[in-house]
Amino acid sequence: MGQRKGNGPAVRQAVEYDLVELVRLRALLFENLGGHFFSPASADDDWLDALAVVLKEQLTADAVRILVVDGDGDRDGDSDRGLAACGIATIEQRLPGPHLRNGRIGHVIGVVTDPSYRRRGHSRSIMRSLLDWFEEREVARVDLYASAEGEPLYRELGFTDHPDPALYWRP
């Protein structure tokens, strides 16, 4: 998938050169979510190194799509273009069932926009491109967790309340 043209900002697939900015934006995502679960007081920054390693591995994976929108160089008066926004999605192959005919589930892992680039359609453009990618791969369902700020966009794109009760366990 090349750059998406037409409605909204140009979206492109991330490359290795983008890793530092991808890590920065992913960290920003957790800062903005708040709460002890997403930003535990005992956490240090060692997870950022692990994130960089995994992102580098996933950049070319068939079941992962990492999309970005380039910045325009105006972020905080910085002349560096950086990234304005990014979105990460994966496809998981589960067992088919009556409610999931081919067993392929898409996950939007996170869409985040740098605060100085918000309200310009970057998240919407990334999400439309990710949804196109899911459709091309015949994904049966796409799941995501929405922040309060992001929920209206996702609902506008057709996301609804999930029918499955969600629980989690941590060893």
Side-chain angles (χ1 to χ4, degrees):
M1 171 188 278
Q3 286 193 353
R4 185 178 175 92
K5 302 282 187 198
N7 298 336
V11 174
R12 67 174 174 83
Q13 191 165 342
V15 295
E16 191 170 336
Y17 177 80
D18 297 315
L19 280 173
V20 170
E21 279 291 285
L22 288 169
V23 169
R24 178 185 72 82
L25 288 172
R26 187 80 178 151
L28 183 64
L29 175 73
F30 290 108
E31 287 175 15
N32 289 336
L33 288 175
H36 184 72
F37 179 81
F38 294 107
S39 298
S42 62
D44 53 31
D45 288 342
D46 63 338
W47 71 275
L48 295 170
D49 294 331
L51 174 62
V53 169
V54 172
L55 282 172
K56 184 176 180 180
E57 292 170 356
Q58 298 298 313
L59 280 172
T60 58
D62 289 339
V64 177
R65 180 64 73 166
I66 304 173
L67 300 178
V68 298
V69 173
D70 289 309
D72 58 15
D74 290 339
R75 184 176 45 123
D76 299 326
D78 192 350
S79 61
D80 179 24
R81 284 178 52 108
L83 293 178
C86 72
I88 303 170
T90 63
I91 297 173
E92 177 183 352
Q93 181 63 59
R94 293 191 182 173
L95 297 174
H99 63 290
L100 199 62
R101 295 287 180 178
N102 66 11
R104 281 194 285 278
I105 296 180
H107 299 275
V108 176
I109 305 300
V111 176
V112 62
T113 302
D114 183 286
S116 62
Y117 290 106
R118 290 189 179 150
R119 314 302 304 164
R120 299 186 195 181
H122 298 319
S123 292
R124 179 180 313 283
S125 292
I126 286 172
M127 280 300 301
R128 285 185 174 150
S129 295
L130 290 175
L131 294 175
D132 289 347
W133 180 70
F134 287 132
E135 282 185 28
E136 290 166 8
R137 280 145 187 82
E138 299 177 353
V139 167
R141 185 181 85 214
V142 177
D143 295 340
L144 60 74
Y145 293 100
S147 67
E149 286 180 346
E151 186 174 344
L153 168 64
Y154 301 131
R155 288 193 182 277
E156 182 182 316
L157 292 171
F159 286 83
T160 60
D161 293 329
H162 201 292
D164 296 336
L167 301 174
Y168 77 95
W169 176 77
R170 282 188 155 171

